[in-house]
Amino acid sequence: MSDLILGIETSCDETAAAIVEDGKKIISNVVASQINIHQKYGGVVPEIASRKHMEYIIPVIDKALDESGKKITDLSAIAVTYGPGLIGSLLVGLSVAKAMAYAQNIPLIGINHLEAHIYANLLEHNEIKPPFVCLIVSGGHTSLVYIRNFGEYKLLGQTKDDAAGEVFDKITKVLDLGYPGGPITERLAKEGEPSSIKFPRPLLNDGSYDFSFSGLKTAVIYYIKELKEKNKIIPVKDILSSFQQAVVDVLVEKTLRAVLEFKTKQIVLAGGVAANSSLRKEIKEKANLLNIKVFHPPTFLCTDNAAMVASAGYYKFKENKNSSLSIDAVSRLPLERKYY
Ligand code: KG4
Ligand code: ZN
């Protein structure tokens, strides 16, 4: 018999619910994005995000159930993101998930949001088998992780300051181009020249797997500021293209170094920035030369969604790694932490 898992995700500014069969088949996948609401502030406002989650969560779950053609009594378990993320936002999804699991008397499975981003890959690529190196790049995180087995994560390095996606968002904010910055940058960068401006590549050759993007961000902002002060034309497309290239260079270099050190033949990309076509293209080109395969989720599963939560939940459900109903939301939650 197959298992249907309801996934719930409210860690940031997307209210999402999805039903996934046996960890692989998406039966329904509903995402209510708050992008339009946060756009005018140039980033996510936590208080507004939690209030909107309260408004959307029940309709979104209802829609996921409706579109699946299944009944609530058909569910085997409920998987929900419990961290890391905005605490007020996480609490909304977690409280609803607890109530539903309790009422239906089915297991509740707390999911680490970063782990869910990794599992988004399995919804598309059955063939991924550990060990592999995963680059998790999103609005809140930039981490390189070695995955020996599912559930066994070794953090190789992470950002010391801003996350990669966060910097995309800040640069487009400074340029008054809107939010989120990643897709806007990607679109405009295609028409610019990536080698036209020499922006720094922080920590590129420091030998670690850590990242630092705040220096790059400052360099780009100062570059824009100086042009503005001198009343010069701002070459937006060249700036974005050169900035994007600097980010991609660092991400690709460090990921390739990790995969060579850990002698695996697979790289997995995860998180919102994994939607970036320039990153995908460059890492694939370089990995191909080394006979290394690169996987990434389809774009709609790179950014926050609940199908990835349901997928991660299925594998934990099968191993009886259920959570207690007293599980708490956690704003900072490393991948290694045991939570069952
Ligand atoms: O994974 P995600 O939806 O949320 C977090 O867990 O943070 O990632 C959102 C981030 C945003 O910073 C957004 O600008 C970035 O992913 N992003 C991209 C692209 N699409 C989304 N960054 C670069 N290129 C893209 N195409
Ligand atoms: Zn995310």
Side-chain angles (χ1 to χ4, degrees), residues 4-8 17-20 28 61 64-65 72 75-80 100 306 309-310:
L4 289 176
I5 311 291
L6 168 68
I8 297 177
I19 293 176
V20 172
S28 65
I61 293 173
L65 277 165
I72 195 167
L75 298 174
S76 305
I78 297 177
V80 60
M100 285 181 75
V309 178

Side-chain angles (χ1 to χ4, degrees), residues 113 117 138 304 308:
H113 182 76
H117 272 301
S138 71
D304 287 351
M308 65 186 192

Side-chain angles (χ1 to χ4, degrees), residues 313-328:
Y314 168 78
Y315 295 97
K316 302 230 178 286
F317 172 70
K318 282 305 197 194
E319 292 173 38
N320 280 320
K321 289 175 175 170
N322 305 334
S323 303
S324 139
L325 282 177
S326 60
I327 184 175
D328 257 336

Side-chain angles (χ1 to χ4, degrees), residues 41-117:
Y41 306 102
V44 179
V45 183
E47 178 62 23
I48 297 178
S50 16
R51 285 172 193 273
K52 285 292 158 191
H53 283 309
M54 300 255 285
E55 201 178 312
Y56 295 164
I57 188 73
I58 301 295
V60 163
I61 293 173
D62 277 348
K63 191 159 185 243
L65 277 165
D66 277 356
E67 287 183 2
S68 72
K70 308 283 180 190
K71 296 188 294 295
I72 195 167
T73 47
D74 295 330
L75 298 174
S76 305
I78 297 177
V80 60
T81 303
Y82 77 103
L86 303 171
I87 203 80
S89 293
L90 288 164
L91 279 169
V92 177
L94 186 60
S95 308
V96 172
K98 281 182 185 179
M100 285 181 75
Y102 179 73
Q104 294 303 313
N105 196 21
I106 53 177
L108 173 79
I109 303 161
I111 298 294
N112 181 311
H113 182 76
L114 299 179
E115 198 170 17
H117 272 301

Side-chain angles (χ1 to χ4, degrees), residues 35 168-169 172 179-189 272 275-276 303:
I35 282 178
F168 276 92
D169 298 338
T172 54
Y179 168 86
I184 299 168
T185 302
E186 174 171 353
R187 185 165 41 80
L188 294 172
N276 189 275
T303 44

